[in-house]
Amino acid sequence: MIVREKGNWLRLLFVWHGSVLPQILPRLLVLGILSGAVVYGHGHLLHYKVPLNAAPFTLFGVTLAIFLSFYNNASYDRFWEGRKQWGALLNTTRSLARQALTLGHHPADAPGPPHFVRLLIAFTHALKHQLRYTDAAPDLARLLPASVAQAVQGAAFKPVLLLLEMGRWVQQGRENGQFDTTTQLAFDHNFNLLADIVGGCERLAGTLIPYTYSVILHRTVYLYCFLLPFGLVDSIGWLTPLIVVFVGYTFMALDAIMREIEEPFGLGANDLALNTMSHTIESTLLEMVGAPVPPAPERAARYIFD
Amino acid sequence: MIVREKGNWLRLLFVWHGSVLPQILPRLLVLGILSGAVVYGHGHLLHYKVPLNAAPFTLFGVTLAIFLSFYNNASYDRFWEGRKQWGALLNTTRSLARQALTLGHHPADAPGPPHFVRLLIAFTHALKHQLRYTDAAPDLARLLPASVAQAVQGAAFKPVLLLLEMGRWVQQGRENGQFDTTTQLAFDHNFNLLADIVGGCERLAGTLIPYTYSVILHRTVYLYCFLLPFGLVDSIGWLTPLIVVFVGYTFMALDAIMREIEEPFGLGANDLALNTMSHTIESTLLEMVGAPVPPAPERAARYIFD
Amino acid sequence: MIVREKGNWLRLLFVWHGSVLPQILPRLLVLGILSGAVVYGHGHLLHYKVPLNAAPFTLFGVTLAIFLSFYNNASYDRFWEGRKQWGALLNTTRSLARQALTLGHHPADAPGPPHFVRLLIAFTHALKHQLRYTDAAPDLARLLPASVAQAVQGAAFKPVLLLLEMGRWVQQGRENGQFDTTTQLAFDHNFNLLADIVGGCERLAGTLIPYTYSVILHRTVYLYCFLLPFGLVDSIGWLTPLIVVFVGYTFMALDAIMREIEEPFGLGANDLALNTMSHTIESTLLEMVGAPVPPAPERAARYIFD
Amino acid sequence: MIVREKGNWLRLLFVWHGSVLPQILPRLLVLGILSGAVVYGHGHLLHYKVPLNAAPFTLFGVTLAIFLSFYNNASYDRFWEGRKQWGALLNTTRSLARQALTLGHHPADAPGPPHFVRLLIAFTHALKHQLRYTDAAPDLARLLPASVAQAVQGAAFKPVLLLLEMGRWVQQGRENGQFDTTTQLAFDHNFNLLADIVGGCERLAGTLIPYTYSVILHRTVYLYCFLLPFGLVDSIGWLTPLIVVFVGYTFMALDAIMREIEEPFGLGANDLALNTMSHTIESTLLEMVGAPVPPAPERAARYIFD
Amino acid sequence: MIVREKGNWLRLLFVWHGSVLPQILPRLLVLGILSGAVVYGHGHLLHYKVPLNAAPFTLFGVTLAIFLSFYNNASYDRFWEGRKQWGALLNTTRSLARQALTLGHHPADAPGPPHFVRLLIAFTHALKHQLRYTDAAPDLARLLPASVAQAVQGAAFKPVLLLLEMGRWVQQGRENGQFDTTTQLAFDHNFNLLADIVGGCERLAGTLIPYTYSVILHRTVYLYCFLLPFGLVDSIGWLTPLIVVFVGYTFMALDAIMREIEEPFGLGANDLALNTMSHTIESTLLEMVGAPVPPAPERAARYIFD
C-alpha cells in the first residue's frame, strides 16, 4: 500500500512511484509509434485513406463505460471488503483480549490471558501467511508452545485450527472454574466472528470477478486504443499521437490499477499492507496485556507499506 | 468457475476458453455477413440508400446503457451473493464444528462430534444437490446412518430436515447432560444462520431478475446490432463489417455473460464451483475432528472448476 | 411472477406474455402515426420545416438517463427487498418450527409444535392478505381454533396479533415447565425478526418512491418521445417512424416495467408470487412436523405464478 | 408525503399537486423570456451573433450528470434511511410491547404493560417533535404521569430520557420479581435498538450532504440553463424557448425535489409522514394491549399526509 | 462542517464560504489566461492553427466520468461511514449509560454510574484526539482520576485502554455483587460495539482510496482542462475563456471537494464536526446521570463547526 506524499496539485502531475505508469509504458510507446505511423502514412500510402472517423468510438464508449465502471467498482469493493475484514480482525481480537482480561475469575495456576493473546497474534499471522502463500512456521514457532506450533503447521487450514485451540483454552478455563458457561459463550460469539473473517478472506482470495469479464474488457480496451489513431487522424492530424497516447493512458492505467486491487491480499504496490496491519494487531494486543511492543517491520521504500 | 491463467496482456487478447465467444460466434457471423451485404449493396441496389446515420444510435445508447448496466450489476450481485451464502456456509459449519468440540461435557457413550460433523457435511452436499437438481442419495448414504439417510431422501426440503436432525442431536446431548440449556442455544443461534443460508440460496435460485427486463434488453441489443450496419456504412464504408462485428461482440458478450452468472448455481463455465466448495467444507471439517481428508474431486478441464 | 421459458436467442425476440408490450402498444401506435404524419408533412405543409435536429435530444439524454436509471434501480431494490423479506419469513418460520421441535421438554398435555406451526402458517397467510388487501378469514378459519381466528379477524394488524399469540404459546409453555426463561428468549429473538419482517413489508407497501419523481419522469419520457420525430425527420427521412417507435418502445417499456415492480406485492405479471411463496412456507413447515403437505395452488397460466 | 392518485398515463402529464412545478415556475418563466429575447435578437443586434453551439454543453453534461446523479442518489438514500429508521421504530416498539405482554410474571400490583406501552407511544411522539422542532408537551401530558412528563419536558434529549424511564420500569419489575435478569436483558437488547434509532434520526437531521456539493451543483445547473439558449438558437431557431424551458424544467425540478427529500423529516410535500406514522404506532400498540384506538389525525389535503 | 445558510436560489449562486472556490481560484486564473492567449493567437501565430476540435474530449469524457464518479462516490461513502461511526458512538455510549443506570444492584460504596459515564466521555475525547493527532492529556486530566489518566496517556492506543478500564469497572461490579455474569455480558456486548467503532475509525483514517487512482484522476482532470481551449477555440471563438473556465471550475471543484471529504476526520471546512459531536455526547450522557451540562465549545465562524 502506498501512502500518499503531501504535495501541491502541480507536483502530483509528475509523481512516479505509486503510479502504474512504469507497467504500461511499453504499451503506450507502441501505441504512440503506431499513431505516428498512421499520421505519416495518412493519404500517402497509395493515395488511400482508412475511412474511419470518431463516430463509432462514441458507440464503443457505451459498452466500454459499462465494462470499466462495473469492473472498477467490483474491484474496489473487493479491496475495501478485504480492508474491512482486516479491520474486523483488529476489532475482534481486541474484544477477545478484553474478554480474557475482564471476564471470569483468574486463578493463579491457569494459563492466563498472555497465552490467549499469543494465540490471537499467531492466528493473525497465520491468516496473513495463508492469504499470501508464505510460510507461517517462523511466526508460529515464535509465538506458540512447540506442541501447538507443530500440530498447526501440518494443517491445511491453520487459522481454523488456532481458533479451535482458543476454544479449547476457554473450555479448559470453564472446567477449571475460571469461566461459567455463559461467559464461555461470550467468547464463543467472538470466535464465530473470527471464523467469519477467515472465511471472508478466503472468499475474496479464492473467487475473483468472473474471468470472462476480464477477457472481454481487456479486448475492448486494447482494440479501442489501437483503432483510435485511424479514427482521429483525419480531424486532428499531427496531434493524433498526443491525444491517442493520453486517451490510451487513462484506459490502460484504469485497466492496470483495477486488476491490481481486485486481489487485495497480493504484494502489488496498491494492495493491502497485511504486514503492517498484523504488526498493529500484535502491538495493540501486547499493549493491552502490558507486554513490550515489538519494533515496526522494515519497509521496502519510504511511502510503501507491504 | 474458470480460474484465470497467468499470462501477459497480449496473450489475454487471444484466450479461447472462459470466453463466451464460442457461444455467440454464429450470431456474429450472421452480423458480419449482413454488414458485408450492406456495404456491397450500398448505392448499388436501384441507386437507393437507406437514409440512416449514426445519430439515432446515440439516442438508443441512453436506454441501452441503462438496461445493460442495470442488468449486469443485478446479475453480478446475484453471483456474488451466491458466493457469500456459500462462504457463510463454510464459516458457520466451521463454527458449529468448533462448538461441538469445545462446548459442554463429552461423556463416552454419546454420539460424538464426528457424527455431528458428518451431519454438517451431508447438509452441505444436500444443499448443493437441491440447487443443481441432482441426486443427493449417494452423498447421504455415504455420510449418514441408513435410517437418517432414508428419512431425508424422501423429503422435498432435505437440508431443512438435516438441520432439524442436528437440532435433535443437540437436544439429545442436553438430555444426556452433555450440554446445558444456554449451550444448546449457542448451537441454535448458528442453526438459525444455516436456515438463513438455505433460504437465501433458494431465493437466488427461485427468483430471477423480472423476466420482462430480459425480454426488453434482448430485443434492444439485437435490433441495435442489426440496424447498425445501415447507420455506419455511409461514413466508414468498407470498414463497416469490422466495426459492427466488434461493437456487436461487446454487446452480445455482455448479454451472454450476465445471463450466465444471473443463475450462479448453474453449471455454466462462469458459475460458482459448488462441487469444489463442498469439498473444501468437507476437508476443513474433517481436519478439525482429526479425520482423514478425501482427495479433491476430478475436474473437466485444467482451468475449470464445477 | 413470470417464470422464463427456455428458448434460444431468436425466439426471445418474439415473446409476447411477460412483455409489457400489450400495455404500451396503443401509445406506440399513436407515436408511429404521428411520426408518419411528420414524415409526410415535412416540407409540404406551407413549405415550412420545424427547425429541430438531433442535438437537443442528446442534452435531454443527460437528465433522462439520470431519472430512468435512478427510478429503475430504486424500483428494483424495492422488488428485491420485498423478495428478501419473504425469504427471511421462510427462514425464520423454519427456525421457529425447529426451535419448537428441539428446545425444551415436551410434556404430553401441552398444545404441541403442530399447533405452533399452524400459528406460523396463519401468520404467513395473514401477512399476504394484508399486503394484497384480500380477506384473511378463510385461511384463519382453516388453520386456527375458532376463538383465536375470531379475535384476530377483527384486528387491524392481524399478523401482529398472531405474533403475540405465538408469544403467549411460549409463555404458557414456560409456565408449564416446558421451556425455561432462556429458551423462551430464544423464541423471542426470532419473534423480533418476524416483527421486523411485518414492518418491513408494511414499509414497502406504504411508502413508494416520492411521487414527484414519478411525475417528472413520466413527463420527460413522453415529451421526449413525441418531440423525437421532428428532430429526426430531417436526417433519416422515411425511416423516422421505425426508429422513433423503437426508441419509444425502449423508454416506455422501461417506464412500465419499473412502475410495476415498484409495488412488488401487487398482482402484476412481474410482481412477487406471494401465493406460491406462502404455499412453500406451509409445505416446508408441515413437512418438518411430519404432517401431510397440501397440493400446490392453481395458476392462471403456465408461466405465471401469482 | 403525497400519495399518488390512480390515473392513466395521459392524466399523469397534467398533475399539479405533488409536482415541484409551482416552486420553479418563476425561474422557468425568466428562462423562457430570456430564450425569446435571444431568438429575437439573434443576428439583429448590431449584426452580431454569440458564437456558441451545442458542443460545449455535451462537455458540461459529464460533470452535470455526475453531480446530479450523485446528489440525487445521496438524497434518496437519506430519505429511504429515514423511512427505515421509522420502520424500525414501529417494529421495535411492537416487539417491546410483545415482550411486556408475554415475558415474566405479572403480579397484580405492578404498573402493567399499558403503562409501558404509553411510555413507548410517548417516546415515538417525543422523537417526532424533536426532529421537527415542535413542542412535545401536549403529547407528553396526554400520555404520561405528571411527574414523568415534567421531568422529560425539561430535557434537551427527551427520547433518551424516556428510554431511560423504560429501563427503570423493567428494573423495577425485576426488583419486584416480575422479571429475572435474563428477561431484563431481552428488553435491554431492544432498548439498544431504540437508542440506535434515535441516534440514526439525529444523524440524518444533523448532518446533510456536504454544503459545497450543493453550491457547486446549484451553480452548474443554473449557468448551464441560462447559457443554453445561446448555444441552441443557431440550429433550432424559434423552437429555442420551448426546448430550453423543457430542458430547464427537468434540471430544476430534479434540483428541487432532491433538496426536499435530502431532509426527510421536514414538512415538504415529499417528506416523510411522521404524524401518520406516529399515529400508526400508537394504534398498533394500543390494539396489542386491547385499548381503544384513537381516530386518525386530520390532513391538509386529500392526497397529502404530513 | 459547514452548516448551510437559508437563502433563495439566486443568493446561493454567490455564496463564498463553504465553497472550494478560494482554493482553486489561482488555477482557474491560469486557465483563463491560457484560454485568452489561445483565442488571441489563433490563426495569428505564423498563420498556424492547432488542429484540435471537440471530438476527442467526448472520448476523454468516458474515462473522466468513470474516474470522477467512482472517486466521488468512494469519498462520500468514506465521509458518511465516518459520520455513521460517530453516530454509533453516540448510540452505544447512551446505551451503556442506560445499562449502568438500570441494570444490577447499586450498593452505596461502589464507584457508581457517574464514574462510568466519565470513562465513556473520556473514551469519546480520546478517540477524537487520536483521529486528529491532537493531545488528549487535558481532556483525560479533566475527566479521569489521576492514576487512570496517567496510565492511559502513555499508551499508543488510548481508547482501547479506556475500553479495558470500563471492562474492569464492570468486572469489579460483578465481584462486588452489583452485577451477575449475565449482566456483565450485556455490557460486554456494547463494549464489542465500541471496539468496532474505534477500529472502524482507524480503518477510515489509515487506509485511503488507493493512491494510484488519485494520481491518474488528477492528471486526467488537469490535462483535459489545459487542452480544452485548443479544442474549443475554432468553434466558439472569443467565448472560449468563459466556457473553459466554467468547465474547469466544475471539474476542479469536484476534484477538490472529494479530496477533502475523503479524509472525514480532518479539519477542512467540509469535514466532520468531531468537536461538536464530542460535546453532544458529553451533554447527553451528563443529562442522563443528572449532572450539569457544559457550555458548547466556541466556533471559528458562524456557519462552521469543527
Side-chain angles (χ1 to χ4, degrees):
Chain A
M1 203 178 67
I2 312 161
V3 178
R4 68 181 58 173
E5 297 175 72
K6 296 292 171 198
N8 63 22
W9 65 277
L10 252 179
R11 225 189 119 202
L12 201 52
L13 296 178
F14 302 100
V15 159
W16 179 256
H17 79 253
S19 161
V20 288
L21 201 50
Q23 188 183 335
I24 60 172
L25 202 59
R27 292 167 235 175
L28 286 178
L29 279 178
V30 172
L31 189 59
I33 291 166
L34 173 70
S35 303
V38 167
V39 171
Y40 179 80
H42 188 60
H44 292 97
L45 294 177
L46 308 170
H47 303 280
Y48 188 78
K49 289 182 179 189
V50 174
L52 202 59
N53 56 37
F57 292 92
T58 310
L59 304 182
F60 287 135
V62 174
T63 32
L64 204 50
I66 293 169
F67 273 123
L68 281 173
S69 79
F70 158 70
Y71 207 100
N72 186 46
N73 286 330
S75 292
Y76 179 71
D77 281 355
R78 293 171 55 82
F79 170 83
W80 195 230
E81 199 205 329
R83 184 60 186 85
K84 278 185 179 166
Q85 296 286 1
W86 274 76
L89 180 57
L90 171 66
N91 308 344
T92 310
T93 50
R94 275 175 178 167
S95 288
L96 279 163
R98 194 196 63 247
Q99 291 184 320
L101 287 162
T102 64
L103 302 183
H105 310 277
H106 295 277
D109 59 331
H115 172 70
F116 184 69
V117 156
R118 278 195 300 275
L119 279 174
L120 286 168
I121 296 169
F123 172 85
T124 301
H125 286 291
L127 181 58
K128 176 189 74 186
H129 289 298
Q130 178 179 327
L131 293 173
R132 290 200 160 162
Y133 305 100
T134 46
D135 186 10
D139 277 317
L140 296 181
R142 173 170 74 85
L143 291 155
L144 301 176
S147 63
V148 178
Q150 266 187 343
V152 169
Q153 182 61 27
F157 301 95
K158 293 179 190 61
V160 176
L161 288 211
L162 281 165
L163 196 46
L164 190 57
E165 190 63 29
M166 292 180 219
R168 282 197 185 115
W169 181 81
V170 178
Q171 166 80 333
Q172 208 175 332
R174 205 208 57 196
E175 283 170 6
N176 296 342
Q178 194 177 350
F179 307 122
D180 62 5
T181 311
T182 322
T183 306
Q184 185 182 19
L185 298 179
F187 281 95
D188 195 65
H189 172 76
N190 280 324
F191 294 156
N192 285 346
L193 297 185
L194 286 190
D196 291 350
I197 290 164
V198 173
C201 289
E202 287 173 352
R203 168 167 51 79
L204 286 170
T207 304
L208 301 183
I209 298 169
Y211 184 45
T212 305
Y213 279 106
S214 181
V215 174
I216 305 176
L217 175 60
H218 201 79
R219 280 179 186 155
T220 310
V221 163
Y222 283 92
L223 269 83
Y224 182 97
C225 288
F226 285 98
L227 281 176
L228 194 54
F230 301 97
L232 290 182
V233 69
D234 227 14
S235 67
I236 63 170
W238 61 266
L239 269 178
T240 305
L242 182 75
I243 299 295
V244 166
V245 167
F246 182 26
V247 170
Y249 165 69
T250 61
F251 279 116
M252 290 179 192
L254 186 53
D255 188 61
I257 171 73
M258 72 201 190
R259 272 164 211 283
E260 195 169 316
I261 64 168
E262 184 189 353
E263 303 188 68
F265 302 129
L267 283 163
N270 289 289
D271 288 330
L272 291 169
L274 298 194
N275 269 336
T276 307
M277 288 195 273
S278 302
H279 180 259
T280 300
I281 293 176
E282 187 163 346
S283 304
T284 188
L285 296 184
L286 291 176
E287 189 178 81
M288 286 176 80
V289 295
V293 173
E298 285 180 19
R299 284 188 275 126
R302 187 168 163 208
Y303 292 108
I304 298 186
F305 294 78
D306 65 341
Chain B
M1 203 178 67
I2 311 160
V3 178
R4 67 182 57 174
E5 296 175 72
K6 297 291 170 198
N8 62 22
W9 65 277
L10 251 179
R11 221 186 123 204
L12 201 52
L13 296 178
F14 301 99
V15 158
W16 179 256
H17 80 252
S19 160
V20 289
L21 200 51
Q23 189 183 333
I24 61 173
L25 203 58
R27 292 168 235 174
L28 286 178
L29 279 177
V30 171
L31 188 59
I33 291 166
L34 172 71
S35 303
V38 167
V39 171
Y40 179 80
H42 188 60
H44 292 97
L45 294 177
L46 307 171
H47 303 281
Y48 187 78
K49 289 184 180 187
V50 174
L52 203 57
N53 57 37
F57 293 92
T58 309
L59 304 181
F60 287 135
V62 174
T63 32
L64 204 51
I66 293 169
F67 273 123
L68 282 173
S69 78
F70 159 70
Y71 207 99
N72 186 46
N73 285 331
S75 292
Y76 179 72
D77 280 355
R78 293 171 55 82
F79 170 83
W80 194 231
E81 198 204 330
R83 183 62 187 83
K84 277 184 179 167
Q85 296 287 0
W86 274 76
L89 180 57
L90 171 66
N91 308 343
T92 311
T93 50
R94 275 174 177 167
S95 287
L96 279 164
R98 193 196 63 248
Q99 291 184 319
L101 286 163
T102 64
L103 302 183
H105 310 279
H106 295 277
D109 58 331
H115 172 69
F116 183 69
V117 157
R118 277 195 300 275
L119 280 173
L120 286 169
I121 296 170
F123 173 85
T124 301
H125 287 290
L127 181 58
K128 176 189 73 186
H129 289 298
Q130 178 179 328
L131 293 173
R132 290 198 161 163
Y133 305 100
T134 47
D135 186 11
D139 277 318
L140 296 180
R142 174 169 73 85
L143 291 155
L144 300 176
S147 64
V148 179
Q150 266 187 345
V152 170
Q153 181 62 27
F157 301 95
K158 293 179 189 63
V160 176
L161 288 210
L162 282 164
L163 196 46
L164 189 57
E165 190 63 28
M166 291 180 220
R168 284 199 184 112
W169 180 81
V170 177
Q171 165 81 332
Q172 208 175 333
R174 206 210 55 196
E175 284 169 6
N176 296 342
Q178 193 177 350
F179 308 123
D180 62 5
T181 310
T182 322
T183 307
Q184 184 182 17
L185 298 180
F187 282 95
D188 194 64
H189 173 76
N190 279 324
F191 293 156
N192 285 346
L193 296 185
L194 286 189
D196 291 351
I197 291 165
V198 173
C201 290
E202 288 173 352
R203 169 167 51 79
L204 286 171
T207 304
L208 301 182
I209 298 169
Y211 185 45
T212 305
Y213 279 107
S214 181
V215 174
I216 305 176
L217 175 60
H218 201 78
R219 280 179 187 155
T220 310
V221 164
Y222 283 92
L223 268 85
Y224 182 96
C225 289
F226 285 97
L227 281 175
L228 194 54
F230 300 98
L232 290 182
V233 69
D234 228 15
S235 68
I236 62 168
W238 61 265
L239 269 179
T240 305
L242 182 74
I243 298 295
V244 166
V245 166
F246 182 26
V247 170
Y249 165 70
T250 61
F251 279 115
M252 290 180 192
L254 185 53
D255 188 62
I257 171 73
M258 72 200 188
R259 273 163 210 282
E260 196 169 313
I261 64 167
E262 184 189 354
E263 303 187 67
F265 303 130
L267 284 161
N270 289 290
D271 289 331
L272 291 169
L274 298 194
N275 269 337
T276 307
M277 287 194 274
S278 302
H279 180 259
T280 300
I281 293 176
E282 187 163 346
S283 304
T284 187
L285 295 184
L286 291 175
E287 190 179 81
M288 286 176 80
V289 293
V293 173
E298 286 181 17
R299 285 189 274 127
R302 188 169 161 207
Y303 292 108
I304 298 186
F305 293 78
D306 65 341
Chain C
M1 203 179 67
I2 311 160
V3 178
R4 67 182 58 172
E5 295 176 72
K6 296 290 171 198
N8 61 23
W9 65 278
L10 252 178
R11 223 187 121 203
L12 201 52
L13 296 178
F14 302 100
V15 158
W16 179 257
H17 79 252
S19 160
V20 289
L21 201 50
Q23 189 182 335
I24 61 172
L25 204 57
R27 292 168 235 175
L28 287 178
L29 279 178
V30 172
L31 189 59
I33 291 167
L34 172 71
S35 302
V38 167
V39 172
Y40 179 82
H42 189 60
H44 291 98
L45 294 178
L46 308 170
H47 302 281
Y48 188 78
K49 289 184 180 188
V50 175
L52 203 59
N53 57 37
F57 293 92
T58 309
L59 303 181
F60 287 135
V62 174
T63 31
L64 204 50
I66 293 169
F67 273 124
L68 281 173
S69 78
F70 159 69
Y71 207 99
N72 185 47
N73 286 330
S75 293
Y76 179 71
D77 280 355
R78 293 171 55 81
F79 170 83
W80 195 230
E81 199 205 330
R83 183 61 186 84
K84 277 184 179 167
Q85 297 286 2
W86 274 76
L89 180 57
L90 171 67
N91 307 344
T92 311
T93 50
R94 275 175 177 167
S95 288
L96 279 164
R98 194 196 63 249
Q99 291 185 320
L101 287 162
T102 64
L103 301 183
H105 310 279
H106 295 278
D109 59 332
H115 172 69
F116 183 70
V117 156
R118 278 194 298 275
L119 280 173
L120 285 169
I121 297 170
F123 173 85
T124 301
H125 287 290
L127 181 58
K128 176 188 73 187
H129 289 298
Q130 177 179 329
L131 293 173
R132 290 199 161 161
Y133 305 99
T134 47
D135 186 10
D139 277 318
L140 296 180
R142 174 169 73 85
L143 291 155
L144 300 175
S147 64
V148 178
Q150 267 188 343
V152 170
Q153 181 63 26
F157 300 95
K158 294 179 188 63
V160 176
L161 288 210
L162 281 164
L163 196 46
L164 190 56
E165 190 63 29
M166 291 181 221
R168 283 197 185 114
W169 181 81
V170 177
Q171 165 82 330
Q172 209 175 333
R174 207 209 55 195
E175 284 169 6
N176 296 342
Q178 194 177 349
F179 306 123
D180 61 6
T181 309
T182 323
T183 307
Q184 185 182 17
L185 297 180
F187 282 96
D188 195 64
H189 172 76
N190 280 324
F191 294 155
N192 284 347
L193 297 185
L194 286 189
D196 290 350
I197 291 165
V198 173
C201 290
E202 288 173 351
R203 168 168 51 79
L204 286 170
T207 303
L208 300 183
I209 298 169
Y211 184 45
T212 304
Y213 279 107
S214 182
V215 174
I216 305 176
L217 175 60
H218 201 79
R219 280 179 186 154
T220 311
V221 164
Y222 282 92
L223 268 84
Y224 182 96
C225 288
F226 284 98
L227 281 175
L228 194 54
F230 301 98
L232 290 182
V233 69
D234 228 15
S235 68
I236 63 169
W238 61 264
L239 269 178
T240 304
L242 181 74
I243 299 294
V244 166
V245 166
F246 182 27
V247 170
Y249 165 70
T250 61
F251 279 115
M252 291 180 191
L254 185 53
D255 188 61
I257 171 74
M258 71 200 191
R259 273 164 210 283
E260 196 170 315
I261 64 168
E262 184 189 352
E263 302 187 67
F265 303 130
L267 284 162
N270 289 290
D271 288 331
L272 290 170
L274 297 195
N275 269 336
T276 307
M277 288 194 274
S278 302
H279 180 258
T280 300
I281 292 175
E282 186 163 349
S283 303
T284 188
L285 295 184
L286 291 175
E287 191 179 79
M288 285 176 81
V289 294
V293 173
E298 286 181 18
R299 284 189 275 126
R302 189 170 162 207
Y303 291 108
I304 298 186
F305 293 78
D306 65 341
Chain D
M1 202 180 66
I2 311 159
V3 179
R4 67 183 57 172
E5 295 175 72
K6 296 291 170 199
N8 61 22
W9 65 277
L10 252 178
R11 224 188 120 201
L12 201 52
L13 296 179
F14 302 100
V15 158
W16 180 255
H17 78 254
S19 160
V20 288
L21 201 49
Q23 188 182 336
I24 60 173
L25 204 57
R27 293 168 235 175
L28 287 178
L29 279 177
V30 172
L31 189 60
I33 290 165
L34 172 72
S35 303
V38 168
V39 171
Y40 179 81
H42 189 61
H44 292 97
L45 294 178
L46 307 170
H47 302 281
Y48 187 77
K49 289 183 181 188
V50 175
L52 202 60
N53 57 36
F57 293 93
T58 310
L59 303 182
F60 287 134
V62 174
T63 31
L64 204 50
I66 292 169
F67 273 123
L68 282 173
S69 78
F70 159 70
Y71 207 100
N72 186 47
N73 286 330
S75 292
Y76 179 73
D77 279 356
R78 291 171 57 83
F79 169 84
W80 195 230
E81 199 205 328
R83 183 61 187 85
K84 277 184 179 167
Q85 296 285 3
W86 274 76
L89 180 58
L90 171 66
N91 308 344
T92 310
T93 50
R94 275 174 177 167
S95 288
L96 279 164
R98 193 197 63 249
Q99 291 184 320
L101 287 163
T102 65
L103 301 183
H105 309 279
H106 295 277
D109 58 332
H115 172 70
F116 183 70
V117 157
R118 277 194 299 276
L119 280 174
L120 286 169
I121 296 170
F123 172 85
T124 302
H125 287 290
L127 181 58
K128 176 188 75 187
H129 288 299
Q130 177 180 329
L131 294 173
R132 290 199 161 161
Y133 305 99
T134 47
D135 185 10
D139 277 317
L140 296 180
R142 173 170 74 85
L143 290 155
L144 299 177
S147 63
V148 179
Q150 266 187 343
V152 170
Q153 182 63 26
F157 301 94
K158 295 180 186 63
V160 175
L161 288 210
L162 282 164
L163 196 46
L164 190 58
E165 190 64 28
M166 292 181 220
R168 284 198 184 113
W169 181 82
V170 176
Q171 166 82 330
Q172 208 176 334
R174 207 208 56 195
E175 283 169 5
N176 296 342
Q178 195 177 348
F179 307 122
D180 61 6
T181 309
T182 323
T183 307
Q184 185 182 17
L185 299 180
F187 281 95
D188 195 65
H189 172 76
N190 280 324
F191 294 155
N192 285 346
L193 297 185
L194 286 189
D196 291 350
I197 291 165
V198 173
C201 289
E202 287 173 351
R203 169 168 49 80
L204 286 170
T207 305
L208 300 183
I209 298 169
Y211 184 45
T212 304
Y213 279 107
S214 181
V215 174
I216 305 176
L217 175 59
H218 201 79
R219 280 179 187 156
T220 311
V221 163
Y222 283 91
L223 268 84
Y224 183 96
C225 288
F226 284 97
L227 281 176
L228 194 54
F230 301 97
L232 290 182
V233 70
D234 228 15
S235 67
I236 63 169
W238 62 264
L239 269 177
T240 304
L242 182 74
I243 298 295
V244 165
V245 167
F246 182 26
V247 169
Y249 165 70
T250 60
F251 279 115
M252 291 180 191
L254 186 53
D255 188 61
I257 171 74
M258 71 201 191
R259 272 164 211 281
E260 195 170 317
I261 65 169
E262 184 188 353
E263 303 188 66
F265 302 130
L267 284 162
N270 289 290
D271 288 330
L272 290 170
L274 297 194
N275 269 336
T276 307
M277 288 194 275
S278 303
H279 180 259
T280 300
I281 293 176
E282 185 163 348
S283 304
T284 187
L285 295 184
L286 291 175
E287 190 179 80
M288 286 176 81
V289 294
V293 173
E298 286 182 19
R299 284 188 275 129
R302 190 172 162 205
Y303 292 108
I304 298 186
F305 293 78
D306 65 343
Chain E
M1 203 179 67
I2 311 160
V3 178
R4 68 182 57 173
E5 296 175 71
K6 295 293 171 198
N8 63 22
W9 66 277
L10 251 178
R11 225 189 119 202
L12 201 51
L13 296 178
F14 302 101
V15 159
W16 180 255
H17 79 253
S19 160
V20 287
L21 201 50
Q23 187 183 336
I24 61 172
L25 203 58
R27 292 168 235 174
L28 285 178
L29 280 178
V30 172
L31 190 58
I33 290 166
L34 172 72
S35 303
V38 167
V39 171
Y40 179 81
H42 188 60
H44 291 97
L45 295 176
L46 308 170
H47 303 281
Y48 188 77
K49 289 183 180 187
V50 174
L52 201 59
N53 56 37
F57 293 92
T58 310
L59 304 182
F60 287 135
V62 174
T63 31
L64 204 49
I66 293 169
F67 273 122
L68 281 173
S69 78
F70 158 71
Y71 207 99
N72 186 47
N73 286 330
S75 292
Y76 179 72
D77 280 355
R78 292 171 56 83
F79 170 83
W80 195 230
E81 199 204 330
R83 184 60 187 86
K84 278 184 179 166
Q85 297 286 1
W86 274 76
L89 180 58
L90 171 66
N91 308 344
T92 310
T93 50
R94 275 175 178 166
S95 288
L96 279 164
R98 194 197 61 250
Q99 291 185 320
L101 287 162
T102 64
L103 301 183
H105 310 279
H106 296 278
D109 59 331
H115 172 70
F116 183 70
V117 156
R118 277 194 300 275
L119 280 173
L120 286 168
I121 296 169
F123 172 85
T124 302
H125 286 290
L127 181 57
K128 176 189 74 188
H129 289 298
Q130 178 179 330
L131 294 172
R132 291 200 160 162
Y133 305 99
T134 47
D135 185 10
D139 277 317
L140 295 181
R142 174 170 72 85
L143 291 155
L144 300 176
S147 64
V148 178
Q150 267 187 342
V152 170
Q153 181 62 26
F157 300 95
K158 295 179 188 62
V160 175
L161 288 210
L162 282 164
L163 196 46
L164 189 58
E165 190 62 29
M166 292 180 219
R168 282 197 186 115
W169 181 81
V170 178
Q171 167 81 332
Q172 209 175 333
R174 206 208 57 195
E175 283 170 6
N176 297 341
Q178 193 177 350
F179 307 121
D180 62 5
T181 310
T182 323
T183 306
Q184 185 183 17
L185 298 180
F187 281 95
D188 195 65
H189 172 76
N190 280 324
F191 293 155
N192 285 345
L193 297 185
L194 286 189
D196 291 350
I197 290 164
V198 172
C201 290
E202 288 173 351
R203 169 168 49 80
L204 286 170
T207 304
L208 300 182
I209 299 170
Y211 185 45
T212 304
Y213 279 108
S214 181
V215 174
I216 306 176
L217 175 59
H218 201 78
R219 282 179 186 154
T220 311
V221 164
Y222 283 91
L223 269 84
Y224 182 97
C225 288
F226 285 97
L227 281 176
L228 195 54
F230 301 97
L232 290 182
V233 70
D234 227 15
S235 67
I236 62 170
W238 62 265
L239 269 177
T240 305
L242 182 74
I243 298 296
V244 166
V245 167
F246 182 26
V247 169
Y249 166 69
T250 61
F251 279 115
M252 291 179 192
L254 185 53
D255 188 60
I257 171 74
M258 71 202 191
R259 272 164 211 282
E260 194 169 317
I261 64 168
E262 184 188 354
E263 303 188 67
F265 302 130
L267 283 162
N270 289 289
D271 288 330
L272 291 170
L274 297 194
N275 269 336
T276 308
M277 288 195 274
S278 302
H279 180 259
T280 301
I281 293 176
E282 186 163 347
S283 304
T284 188
L285 295 184
L286 291 176
E287 189 179 81
M288 286 175 81
V289 294
V293 173
E298 286 181 19
R299 284 188 274 128
R302 189 170 162 207
Y303 293 108
I304 298 187
F305 293 78
D306 65 342

